[in-house]
Amino acid sequence: MSNITVCARFRPLSSKEKKDSRDNICISSLNSESFVFKEEKEECTFSFDKVFYEESMQADVYEFLALPIVKDAVKGVNGTIITYGQTGAGKTYSVEGTSILECDEQKKGLLPRVVDGLFECIKSADELTKYTVKLSMVEIYMEKVRDLLDLTKDNIQIKENKMQEILLSGVTEITISDPEGALQSLSVRQSCLITLSYSTTTTLLIRLGHLMWTEMNVGSSRSHCVYILTVQLESTTDKRVKTGKVILVDLAGSEKVEKSGAEGKVLEEAKTINKSLSALGNVINALTCGPSARSSHIPFRDSKLTRILQDALGGNSRTVLLCCCSPSPSNALETLSTLRFGMRAKHIKASPLVSRREDRHAKKHEDITLTKDESCDRILNKLRERLDDEDVRLLEELFILEGLFFDANSVEDVESDYQDVTSWTISSLQQTVEELIYTFEELKDKNKALKARLAYAERFDAMSKKNEDNAGVLFKMSGIISLLFSWAGSFFPLKMPS
């Protein structure tokens, strides 16, 4: 079990920052892993697995962060790369470069380099292994998961399979056979870039992956974007199948409303972004706040972002986090927040496993292999036997819109729903148990206080009874003394003086 890899990257100063701060920066390099952060009120040293300063190249970031994950994916191990930081800190540039399709070699981002690296690893692999590479791409916008390869699917559901792996139910997967085809498909997120006039000096950018102008960033992404590359390896000798995934997550940037000037719909987007990033921070805290924390509730279900990242943060993935920062003193507080987030994430433990299974379906049903379309037709034919054609047609349209069709020979969707209900039930039971323990402790304290009060009351009653007994004895003694005086008086009468 090892910690996730956390790196920091500082972009060059923008022209505005140079004008405002006169080339001053808030960091001082110590070496390739450590630096001193300087702020008006404090000065502290940070250490990460690697620090990429302003002069670092895109290739350096890829070779240190992504290349080991690409090599492991071809061996059947999942890997996740996450970019985190304030808006305008260079996250999207690190992931995509200036452009996915048209970009010189030096400026190519992680995404096109990962695609090239996957196919290079496949070419040099064992000839007895058959490879299939598939691509999915979604964005999380206003807490809805949207399929960027099929825009009609704008509310993808997140589920778990029987192996407790996170799946995007009904998401579009396209098979890619070469880097060029993959990059062509990936460029969908940039292909709908529209340039509109925005006053006389500013350009407003809108694209398929929601973008908006703010005072902090001309092209501020308003959604989290997730790229999923799945590599399936099938041995032609023993029919064993291994699956590895490379997931790249380009997070939307956190921002302070007073600095970004957001209002209206942009303000609501900013609130949703900050809320999901806060949920991510809560998950990080829950995973790193002590040895007992892993056995307690981890709030992965608090947002769509943390749910999708459950495998990456929960342990079954080789995960790297790239903290993108601005070196400008004007952004010192945001940079400090990003660095502290990275320091907490360094303590997360990961245990990536090889995803391997036997192709039992192929052994049991070698002569019967139904495609998804054939399975859907089979369902519809059964419905036609019981319903009118018009009813079947309406049901078919409804099922297609909702993405409810599944393989009739598989219960994977049912098991996934069962796993969701089971996980929710376990979480609820854990919370109930914690509440019961708290209530029990409260009752225990109250019982202790009542016992103390009862003991005091018993002691008071005993003392009162003893006092009553003493008073009775004194009364009896006074009676006897009076009787003695009376008796003595009868024998020795007092003579009055004459």
Side-chain angles (χ1 to χ4, degrees), residues 222-255:
R222 315 311 293 167
S223 63
H224 309 298
C225 192
V226 183
Y227 305 92
I228 306 170
L229 291 158
T230 304
V231 184
Q232 192 174 72
L233 308 83
E234 181 180 355
S235 174
T236 56
T237 54
D238 58 7
K239 297 294 181 182
R240 288 184 177 273
V241 177
K242 293 189 292 186
T243 303
K245 289 183 179 181
V246 179
I247 302 175
L248 289 93
V249 184
D250 180 13
L251 295 177
S254 60
E255 60 186 50

Side-chain angles (χ1 to χ4, degrees), residues 370-393:
L370 294 177
T371 65
K372 185 174 182 180
D373 290 337
E374 290 170 339
S375 299
C376 294
D377 290 339
R378 182 176 175 179
I379 294 172
L380 292 173
N381 288 333
K382 288 183 178 180
L383 288 173
R384 287 189 182 96
E385 295 174 1
R386 297 172 174 83
L387 301 173
D388 296 335
D389 289 342
E390 181 64 19
D391 294 334
V392 174
R393 187 184 65 78

